Amino acid sequence: MDGRPIGVFDSGMGGLTVLHECLVTLPHEDFVYLGDGARLPYGPRPLAEVRVYAREIARFLAAEDVKLILVACNTATAAALPELQEELDVPVVGVIAPEAHAAVQATRNRRIGLLATQATVTSARYERLVRTLDAGAELVAVACPRLVPLIEGDDPFGEATVAAVRDYAAPLKAAGVDTVILGCTHYPLIRPILQRVFGRDVTLVFSAEETAREVAETLARKGIEHAADREGTYRFLTTGDPVQFRTMGQRFLQLPIGEVEHVELAALAAAAAAAAA
């Protein structure tokens, strides 16, 4: 038995959709979630810059004595997962591999679409993973810079969001994809809009359940599970506005959010510097 918490991080609140599945799948485990609201969004930033941020946060969580780190952000996973796995002493799980695997299994015509941030598309990590799993599969990727601000806005289900989804879906529909990866943790919040635009014959893939299962399997394989006969706790940190995080975060988590602690960016940088020393 290992009573240490699981560390989870994202650029903001989208990763709470992944945390939700972890809380359901692993109700006996403790979690600490850090949202980097001060530097949101990651999507338009260069991959090298996102890699720096991911390293800072991961090392900060490692200093909080977590037993596993879940990178609940597609952009950060694309930018930094291999480096984090090499550099940290705890297991690190990302969200891209489970989605790529699920998409390859779901597709019938081997034409897969990807909706993601610009940084995730630029990394080409999905394409490499899909081709590794099925060299004959085709991946068509579309960057969606308008979606995250709309989803976090006052009217996430409004006409502006529907119009943006139609624009981004058009090249994927033209390519004849039968499976679409929702390559950003924000996108499941508007899944009904996406499904209506793509139609019922297109399978939408979001890996929260698969990712939670991978976390559970990693804990079991490493022998670092918590006792199964308890109810776990969850704790929230943000580099942004705690009030905004709490208010909007409940939309993503679909569970109560109590106190949210503020973390200064300097504390993240200090943790990274101490780990590198």
Side-chain angles (χ1 to χ4, degrees), residues 17 146-166 182 185-197 248 250-254:
T17 58
R146 289 150 55 198
L147 284 187
V148 168
L150 286 166
I151 293 169
E152 291 198 348
D154 295 331
D155 191 14
F157 307 107
E159 196 54 44
T161 303
V162 175
V165 168
R166 286 182 180 137
L182 306 185
T185 53
H186 281 68
Y187 300 171
L189 206 68
I190 59 165
R191 184 168 187 159
I193 295 175
L194 289 156
Q195 195 70 72
R196 280 186 62 82
V197 169
M248 191 176 296
Q250 290 183 148
R251 183 195 298 176
F252 289 84
L253 187 65
Q254 301 174 53

Side-chain angles (χ1 to χ4, degrees), residues 234-256:
Y234 49 95
R235 172 184 168 215
F236 299 99
L237 314 172
T238 181
T239 60
D241 180 357
V243 175
Q244 181 187 36
F245 182 99
R246 184 175 184 273
T247 302
M248 191 176 296
Q250 290 183 148
R251 183 195 298 176
F252 289 84
L253 187 65
Q254 301 174 53
L255 287 166

Side-chain angles (χ1 to χ4, degrees), residues 37 102 123 129 171 187 231 262 264:
S123 76
L129 282 168
Y187 300 171
E231 181 177 345
H262 184 261
E264 297 288 344

Side-chain angles (χ1 to χ4, degrees), residues 127-188:
E127 184 174 7
R128 290 194 294 272
L129 282 168
V130 165
R131 292 298 300 273
T132 297
L133 294 165
D134 180 358
E138 177 187 358
L139 183 79
V140 182
V142 175
C144 309
R146 289 150 55 198
L147 284 187
V148 168
L150 286 166
I151 293 169
E152 291 198 348
D154 295 331
D155 191 14
F157 307 107
E159 196 54 44
T161 303
V162 175
V165 168
R166 286 182 180 137
D167 287 346
Y168 295 137
L172 300 186
K173 294 171 79 171
V177 305
D178 71 352
T179 302
V180 175
I181 299 170
L182 306 185
C184 173
T185 53
H186 281 68
Y187 300 171

Side-chain angles (χ1 to χ4, degrees), residues 203-221:
T203 301
L204 301 182
V205 171
F206 172 58
S207 72
E209 292 182 9
E210 290 88 350
T211 301
R213 194 175 301 118
E214 183 173 341
V215 170
E217 290 172 355
T218 302
L219 295 177
R221 189 169 62 251

